Amino acid sequence: MTHDAPAPRKTPVQKRSRERFERMLGAATELIAEAGSDALKMSDVASRAGVSIGSLYQFFPDKSAILATLVERCNAQSRHCIEQGLAGIGKPAELGPAFAALFDIYYAMFLAEPALRDIWAGAQADKALSALQLEESRANAATLTEVLKRLFPHADREVLATRALLVMHLGEEAMRLAVSVPRVQGDRLVEAYKRMAARELLADPSPD
């Protein structure tokens, strides 16, 4: 599936170019952590990274391209975590605890790295990046669907796919809410979501 999210104009190949590329992304991450994605300016990124503005534009045509790269990196990390967390499930009784543990890891990651919250918020405010996130929800739902199909081989695949997409997408929304409120309230929201997700995932998967 393709999407219209911005991408780096130039892909770094040589070691020095890759190092400069990483400095730019590191600088952008620091600036986002300090002031949020809305305040991010290309000139500030170039200054913080110690590169010329022209060099920055060689790799990133605009701020959205920087955010897209950071979002895609976050998504890749999440996909790997989800695939690893769900891979060993062999029976329905293991699904709820495994999914809850996975969500806890995801929650801890966002709490530990405040910049991720702002990057995520910036993605939601950008139409193309928001579409990218929906695509990511679908990809993660496909992974979960395969697990559900293995656990419930006689269930209708469309029922399982719909359930997986709902659980994954609502999980992202629950996470976004949990990291935007006081920690105690966020913890309660996470626990409530995990209970809700477990009920949905383990409900009778017969066709409606």
Side-chain angles (χ1 to χ4, degrees):
M1 183 182 294
T2 60
H3 54 77
D4 297 323
R9 179 180 294 171
K10 177 181 176 182
T11 301
V13 177
Q14 297 181 346
K15 181 180 178 181
R16 290 180 61 183
S17 294
R18 291 197 302 270
E19 290 174 348
R20 190 160 64 248
F21 184 81
E22 293 301 326
R23 284 206 314 274
M24 295 172 187
L25 289 178
T29 301
E30 290 175 1
L31 291 165
I32 291 171
E34 292 169 7
S37 58
D38 287 345
L40 187 66
K41 296 180 180 179
M42 298 292 279
S43 58
D44 291 340
V45 174
S47 177
R48 178 70 65 93
V51 301
S52 69
I53 190 69
S55 180
L56 178 63
Y57 278 118
Q58 284 183 336
F59 292 95
F60 302 101
D62 52 32
K63 184 176 79 171
S64 290
I66 294 176
L67 287 175
T69 302
L70 293 174
V71 166
E72 288 172 345
R73 287 192 170 192
C74 179
N75 287 346
Q77 183 179 357
S78 297
R79 279 196 303 274
H80 178 73
C81 185
I82 290 169
E83 289 168 0
Q84 292 293 106
L86 300 180
I89 298 173
K91 51 187 177 182
E94 298 172 349
L95 180 57
F99 191 84
L102 185 62
F103 203 72
D104 284 338
I105 293 172
Y106 203 39
Y107 184 42
M109 180 178 73
F110 273 84
L111 289 175
E113 301 184 43
L116 290 179
R117 291 175 251 173
D118 290 301
I119 291 168
W120 205 0
Q124 294 305 306
D126 184 297
K127 185 176 180 180
L129 294 182
S130 181
L132 178 64
Q133 289 303 89
L134 177 56
E135 182 178 326
E136 187 66 16
S137 291
R138 292 187 184 280
N140 290 331
T143 299
L144 179 56
T145 299
E146 291 306 312
V147 175
L148 293 174
K149 187 62 179 175
R150 187 172 71 243
L151 298 178
F152 306 104
H154 302 297
D156 184 280
R157 186 180 180 86
E158 288 305 313
V159 171
L160 299 180
T162 298
R163 182 171 295 178
L165 179 58
L166 179 65
V167 167
M168 283 299 189
H169 192 66
L170 287 183
E172 293 181 5
E173 296 300 324
M175 184 66 66
R176 188 172 296 111
L177 178 59
V179 298
S180 66
V181 299
R183 177 64 187 273
V184 172
Q185 187 178 17
D187 290 350
R188 290 172 180 165
L189 287 167
V190 166
E191 292 303 315
Y193 169 75
K194 290 190 296 185
R195 291 193 298 270
M196 181 180 68
R199 287 195 298 269
E200 182 64 22
L201 291 173
L202 295 174
D204 183 359
S206 300
D208 295 333

